[in-house]
Amino acid sequence: DADVTQTPRNRITKTGKRIMLECSQTKGHDRMYWYRQDPGLGLRLIYYSFDVKDINKGEISDGYSVSRQAQAKFSLSLESAIPNQTALYFCATSDLGGETQYFGPGTRLLVL
Amino acid sequence: SQQGEEDPQALSIQEGENATMNCSYKTSINNLQWYRQNSGRGLVHLILIRSNEREKHSGRLRVTLDTSKKSSSLLITASRAADTASYFCATDRTGANNLFFGTGTRLTVIP
């Protein structure tokens, strides 16, 4: 079984809809991250969390919110989706040392 | 803003040849990492080199780091078709709490 799972794997939604992407991990890591990937732009950090009570904005947090429900779960919400949020979204984890990150399989989101 | 920039953006080689890709960055770092991504999938960690190291090996991978030039290179020797993927460098920037990823090099190994 995968250590970092993401649901859904693919999602199509309409402009203005609220959606949630979920991430779960069984690695026992404290640190979790949300990235988006656009063609030619690499990965950009949206939010990160170092424990259940610690949430931090990343490079591109506008239009997104997160919830750390438990050590193992970190959700990303788009409050009112817009077409330029169409991208591939990745969740990642790391341990307290924070050096190596472990990625989920990604969620492909299309906003019409 | 991207911390790392990979060069070239795309590389196509024959199976058995060596592949070299480069990464440049802008600020001081604690370490630099290389990740691999198969098409549309999650990234997988390959190798980490610390700021006080100059070269590191792992199987067919060789990474060098030149902190004076703020650059790193990844060499894959005796490439295989299965090495076809995108490769990203990521920097653990001094004073920051997260990694900064470059834009990637797309490697195609032709059987």
Side-chain angles (χ1 to χ4, degrees):
Chain A
D1 288 341
D3 295 319
V4 184
T5 57
Q6 293 183 233
T7 56
R9 294 294 313 279
N10 295 281
R11 178 74 184 266
I12 300 174
T13 191
K14 294 182 179 179
T15 297
K17 294 291 187 181
R18 181 182 189 278
I19 67 162
M20 179 181 290
L21 310 183
E22 299 187 344
C23 176
S24 295
Q25 54 115 346
T26 59
K27 298 188 75 66
H29 289 167
D30 286 315
R31 299 184 174 190
M32 298 186 74
Y33 310 80
W34 275 105
Y35 294 91
R36 68 176 277 175
Q37 184 178 31
D38 299 275
L41 291 181
L43 274 73
R44 291 182 291 167
L45 183 65
I46 306 172
Y47 271 95
Y48 61 102
S49 169
F50 284 177
D51 65 39
V52 175
K53 297 181 181 180
D54 178 77
I55 302 289
N56 303 280
K57 293 182 178 180
E59 180 185 355
I60 52 164
S61 58
D62 287 349
Y64 301 95
S65 63
V66 291
S67 173
R68 185 81 184 267
Q69 301 94 325
Q71 186 205 36
K73 296 184 182 297
F74 192 35
S75 299
L76 176 72
S77 294
L78 286 67
E79 298 301 325
S80 179
I82 56 178
N84 77 0
Q85 291 178 313
T86 291
L88 189 53
Y89 289 85
F90 288 104
C91 173
T93 74
S94 66
D95 61 19
L96 278 178
E99 291 184 332
T100 299
Q101 294 191 10
Y102 299 85
F103 284 79
T107 293
R108 191 171 298 276
L109 175 65
L110 173 61
V111 182
L112 301 174
Chain B
S1 59
Q2 301 296 141
Q3 167 71 334
E5 294 291 336
E6 281 92 340
D7 171 56
Q9 290 187 337
L11 178 62
S12 183
I13 60 174
Q14 295 289 330
E15 199 166 32
E17 294 179 340
N18 295 340
T20 299
M21 50 205 88
N22 305 294
C23 170
S24 61
Y25 58 92
K26 299 175 182 176
T27 64
S28 62
I29 61 172
N30 299 314
N31 66 67
L32 185 144
Q33 305 176 34
W34 285 90
Y35 287 77
R36 165 194 169 125
Q37 182 183 32
N38 287 79
S39 182
R41 296 181 178 270
L43 280 70
V44 176
H45 180 260
L46 294 176
I47 193 166
L48 179 153
I49 185 166
R50 300 186 187 283
S51 60
N52 61 352
E53 298 176 312
R54 291 298 168 258
E55 186 171 316
K56 201 162 184 179
H57 296 255
S58 176
R60 293 185 295 113
L61 305 179
R62 172 178 171 256
V63 172
T64 61
L65 179 65
D66 186 335
T67 53
S68 66
K69 295 182 179 178
K70 291 185 169 59
S71 67
S72 173
S73 67
L74 171 68
L75 169 67
I76 303 174
T77 60
S79 64
R80 305 166 182 169
D83 293 329
T84 294
S86 291
Y87 292 82
F88 293 87
C89 68
T91 51
D92 181 354
R93 193 173 65 180
T94 304
N97 291 319
N98 46 268
L99 296 178
F100 293 83
F101 286 83
T103 52
T105 292
R106 173 70 187 168
L107 173 66
T108 302
V109 181
I110 303 167

